[in-house]
Amino acid sequence: MSQPPQLMVDPSDALTNPEGKFMSKAVVPPVNPNWSLPAITEDIAKEALLEYASDKLCYGTSPARNLEVKELRHFNTYRYRLETFTESRVFEKQIKPYEGEKDDKGAKVPKSAWEIQVQRPVFFKDDVKKMPVVGTTSIKTCDHCNGKGTIKCEVCSGSGKVRCVACYGITRCDEVCTSCGDFGTQSCVCYDGTLVCNVCSGKKQLVSFTQLVVTWKTILYEYVDDHNTDFPTDKFKKVKGEKIFTDEQLLVPPIVNFHRQSINTTSQEALEYHQSELSSSPVLKLRQRQSIEWLPLTRVHYNWKEKEYTYYVYGIENKVYLENYPQKFHCTVM
């Protein structure tokens, strides 16, 4: 399998490690005092729970409408993402029914998949493109039907007739079969004992060629910082956060000096992981993008009918997560 071309890094935009290899310069996110973004209010927390309960068929809305909020505690956290947009190329042999293609045997055949010009993709949009390779197309007669376009029907053995399904071919003296008129046979579904060739689709010829398959895929590394709660972190996968930092270039450098050291460490680890995973595969790294999102998370303590309950409001969509709701009805969905 051919190897992709090597990406070049401008030495003026790189550092060297102790082994003398080039590394991208580390990036320092700008200092922003507003990274601790405003937390939700009591009214927003109530509205979120009311919407949640209203969407549940067997939940009453009285607790959401009449609850008494005792405490709003904010556990806002951060999500780090590294996206590496890659391109891979492979050759595949193809045979299909002839549809007017021209035999181009004799034309110069590319030695490598990476020599072929391909239109530049939209970055970070996964896609697959297939195209025939110049100089590999040849036309031949279909061996399955010997160039006739039809084959013998196996159901009727080419006779065009099958045994009657009503009388099973058994004639009777006192009764005439209304299905076959006592002939004992009926017309086969093929009518004339032949079927369209299932290899060449009746075209009588086949075209064989080599196909270039280009695959663009985004490799994702995602990390959510510790929020010190019993809230299930997986819930964050279905919500958005407030993007506070984005860096996109050919090869992004590690983040340093973010006020949460765990994000700095994860950035370095993510870049090393992608480098390790992709270095063993014949893929080309076209672009990298890393981002930091602020993820709102609020735990709400409330009372309803002199009992205490808890729920979480999370994401900029103000989604609700809870383990116990105080008013559930026994209902059956028909």
Side-chain angles (χ1 to χ4, degrees):
M1 186 179 293
S2 60
Q3 294 297 317
Q6 296 297 311
L7 293 176
M8 301 301 293
V9 177
D10 185 350
S12 65
D13 191 33
L15 303 172
T16 55
N17 63 15
E19 288 75 31
K21 298 178 181 179
F22 282 121
M23 304 186 302
S24 298
K25 290 180 180 178
V27 62
V28 181
V31 177
N32 187 340
N34 295 319
W35 271 340
S36 295
L37 299 176
I40 65 170
T41 64
E42 184 176 313
D43 287 342
I44 292 176
K46 287 181 176 180
E47 184 180 340
L49 184 61
L50 178 58
E51 183 176 347
Y52 175 85
S54 299
D55 288 340
K56 301 291 183 180
L57 182 62
C58 301
Y59 280 26
T61 58
S62 292
R65 296 179 188 278
N66 304 309
L67 64 85
E68 179 187 357
V69 174
K70 305 301 290 185
E71 180 188 31
L72 293 178
R73 188 168 181 185
H74 309 293
F75 298 90
N76 303 329
T77 187
Y78 299 92
R79 174 165 54 204
Y80 169 82
R81 277 193 177 122
L82 172 65
E83 298 166 278
T84 300
F85 188 62
T86 65
E87 178 180 321
S88 62
R89 299 186 180 190
V90 294
F91 284 141
E92 291 181 352
K93 293 290 186 181
Q94 296 288 317
I95 298 178
K96 70 181 190 70
Y98 175 70
E99 294 179 343
E101 294 86 352
K102 295 188 180 298
D103 191 322
D104 66 356
K105 282 286 189 180
K108 185 178 180 181
V109 181
K111 295 180 181 179
S112 165
W114 298 97
E115 293 180 14
I116 301 173
Q117 294 292 321
V118 179
Q119 185 175 358
R120 189 175 185 177
V122 177
F123 288 144
F124 306 106
K125 181 180 180 181
D126 291 3
D127 198 5
V128 176
K129 187 173 185 178
K130 300 178 180 180
M131 63 187 74
V133 178
V134 175
T136 65
T137 302
S138 62
I139 314 298
K140 68 173 186 176
T141 300
C142 177
D143 293 331
H144 190 60
C145 65
N146 295 319
K148 297 178 181 178
T150 60
I151 56 175
K152 182 174 71 173
C153 175
E154 297 295 334
V155 175
C156 65
S157 300
S159 67
K161 298 290 184 178
V162 293
R163 188 169 62 175
C164 177
V165 296
C167 69
Y168 300 102
I170 302 173
T171 59
R172 298 177 182 179
C173 298
D174 60 340
E175 186 178 352
V176 177
C177 179
T178 57
S179 294
C180 67
D182 274 357
F183 286 103
T185 60
Q186 293 177 307
S187 295
C188 181
V189 291
C190 68
Y191 295 110
D192 62 356
T194 63
L195 295 172
V196 174
C197 177
N198 58 345
V199 174
C200 70
S201 298
K203 302 294 185 179
K204 304 180 181 181
Q205 292 179 303
L206 296 172
V207 55
S208 63
F209 60 97
T210 298
Q211 178 175 259
L212 172 66
V213 181
V214 185
T215 303
W216 293 287
K217 184 177 181 181
T218 302
I219 311 300
L220 175 65
Y221 187 107
E222 185 173 287
Y223 165 80
V224 175
D225 200 26
D226 187 17
H227 42 80
N228 300 310
T229 73
D230 58 354
F231 176 80
T233 301
D234 283 350
K235 293 289 183 181
F236 281 126
K237 291 182 178 180
K238 295 184 178 181
V239 297
K240 296 179 180 179
E242 189 75 33
K243 202 161 280 189
I244 59 175
F245 173 77
T246 302
D247 178 27
E248 180 182 326
Q249 50 187 300
L250 180 62
L251 296 173
V252 298
I255 293 173
V256 297
N257 289 351
F258 189 67
H259 68 281
R260 290 237 186 143
Q261 182 56 37
S262 55
I263 297 295
N264 300 326
T265 302
T266 298
S267 174
Q268 181 68 51
E269 291 174 349
L271 288 166
E272 291 175 355
Y273 178 76
H274 275 199
Q275 177 62 28
S276 174
E277 286 292 300
L278 299 176
S279 62
S280 59
S281 304
V283 299
L284 179 65
K285 287 185 283 190
L286 298 180
R287 197 80 173 168
Q288 284 188 318
R289 179 171 64 193
Q290 61 182 345
S291 62
I292 302 173
E293 286 177 280
W294 171 77
L295 292 172
L297 176 64
T298 301
R299 184 167 65 198
V300 183
H301 285 278
Y302 71 97
N303 286 354
W304 188 69
K305 291 189 175 181
E306 300 181 353
K307 289 186 178 181
E308 292 187 358
Y309 299 91
T310 301
Y311 66 94
Y312 287 95
V313 181
Y314 63 101
I316 60 175
E317 302 91 340
N318 293 327
K319 294 292 185 180
V320 167
Y321 169 77
L322 51 78
E323 293 184 348
N324 185 27
Y325 188 73
Q327 191 178 57
K328 295 181 182 179
F329 303 118
H330 295 288
C331 54
T332 303
V333 179
M334 302 299 292

